[in-house]
Amino acid sequence: DAKTTQPPSMDCAEGRAANLPCNHSTISGNEYVYWYRQIHSQGPQYIIHGLKNNETNEMASLIITEDRKSSTLILPHATLRDTAVYYCIAASSNTGKLIFGQGTTLQVKP
Amino acid sequence: GAVVSQHPSWVICKSGTSVKIECRSLDFQATTMFWYRQFPKQSLMLMATSNEGSKATYEQGVEKDKFLINHASLTLSTLTVTSAHPEDSSFYICSANRGGNQPQHFGDGTRLSIL
């Protein structure tokens, strides 16, 4: 599975959009980009995933660059409850294995 | 609502005992489930892939005789930590895959403390 690189931490003001970047320059053609988040002492929560097209759901939007070497997770209106560690993972659906990096700790501030 | 249930959510036991953790997919059949371990302030580490009806596949460095995995049905995988010691204390998390390119869903984890 391709390695991903994320900034270790970010701050965001409550009510503003949170844009979390992820670099996956070695991603292969059959690997999807998955985003999960983990709130303290809980299991990871699925947010969104995509292959090459931009995706949007009720939680977030995922913007994938045309060359697929990077992506951005957008939380349109961050709330205090969005404070968590956000993981970007590039993985093939064939194996199903998710290899977690260190993620980005997002702190939403009032 | 939760699609993967994990039980128990926390357990405290004495050194030398064995502890079983259950992971159930609630509304779908999962031919594959995964077990992770997470130490404080660290990321999740994949321990093994649990395959229904066959032997689990362990990641490098994970002792298969220490962490017994059984996936006897399409909705249940169990992880047994045998002869647990204080260094086995950790947060254990399972996940289940619906298949295809569908995302994995995770349980809420089991916090294991060995005294």
Side-chain angles (χ1 to χ4, degrees):
Chain A
D1 294 338
K3 178 180 170 59
T4 61
T5 304
Q6 299 177 253
S9 64
M10 292 181 64
D11 289 342
C12 177
E14 186 179 19
R16 305 297 291 270
N19 298 289
L20 290 85
C22 179
N23 182 287
H24 32 79
S25 58
T26 61
I27 194 169
S28 60
N30 67 342
E31 289 182 320
Y32 287 75
V33 179
Y34 294 88
W35 282 86
Y36 286 81
R37 72 182 182 184
Q38 186 178 28
I39 297 170
H40 184 62
S41 296
Q42 297 182 21
Q45 177 190 24
Y46 166 76
I47 302 173
I48 199 166
H49 75 289
L51 184 63
K52 54 182 178 181
N53 297 324
N54 298 336
E55 302 287 344
T56 296
N57 63 20
E58 64 278 4
M59 289 183 69
S61 294
L62 173 61
I63 307 299
I64 303 174
T65 58
E66 194 169 339
D67 63 9
R68 299 208 329 123
K69 293 185 177 182
S70 65
S71 61
T72 301
L73 178 74
I74 301 172
L75 306 178
H77 305 287
T79 70
L80 298 179
R81 287 179 294 181
D82 292 322
T83 292
V85 180
Y86 286 77
Y87 296 100
C88 166
I89 303 168
S92 166
S93 61
N94 292 335
T95 66
K97 290 167 59 171
L98 299 181
I99 305 300
F100 284 76
Q102 296 305 307
T104 296
T105 299
L106 175 68
Q107 182 74 47
V108 180
K109 298 185 175 182
Chain B
V3 296
V4 175
S5 173
Q6 200 170 329
H7 179 81
S9 55
W10 60 273
V11 58
I12 303 172
C13 60
K14 293 181 179 179
S15 183
T17 58
S18 294
V19 180
K20 180 185 284 189
I21 303 169
E22 293 186 347
C23 179
R24 295 180 184 274
S25 56
L26 297 182
D27 61 354
F28 64 97
Q29 294 181 331
T31 55
T32 306
M33 292 184 177
F34 302 88
W35 287 96
Y36 296 81
R37 180 167 57 179
Q38 184 175 32
F39 292 108
K41 299 188 185 301
Q42 295 186 22
S43 186
L44 285 77
M45 184 194 78
L46 178 65
M47 298 175 67
T49 302
S50 173
N51 304 298
E52 188 270 335
S54 64
K55 291 183 178 180
T57 306
Y58 291 82
E59 296 298 305
Q60 190 174 7
V62 178
E63 299 175 60
K64 61 178 69 176
D65 295 331
K66 176 75 170 176
F67 300 100
L68 300 180
I69 292 172
N70 183 278
H71 195 154
S73 78
L74 286 170
T75 59
L76 174 64
S77 175
T78 60
L79 168 69
T80 301
V81 183
T82 62
S83 187
H85 292 287
E87 58 267 28
D88 298 321
S89 299
S90 189
F91 191 49
Y92 292 87
I93 309 167
C94 72
S95 69
N97 198 340
R98 291 177 183 264
N101 66 1
Q102 293 302 306
Q104 287 183 34
H105 292 277
F106 288 79
D108 281 336
T110 296
R111 190 157 303 281
L112 174 63
S113 294
I114 309 298
L115 304 178

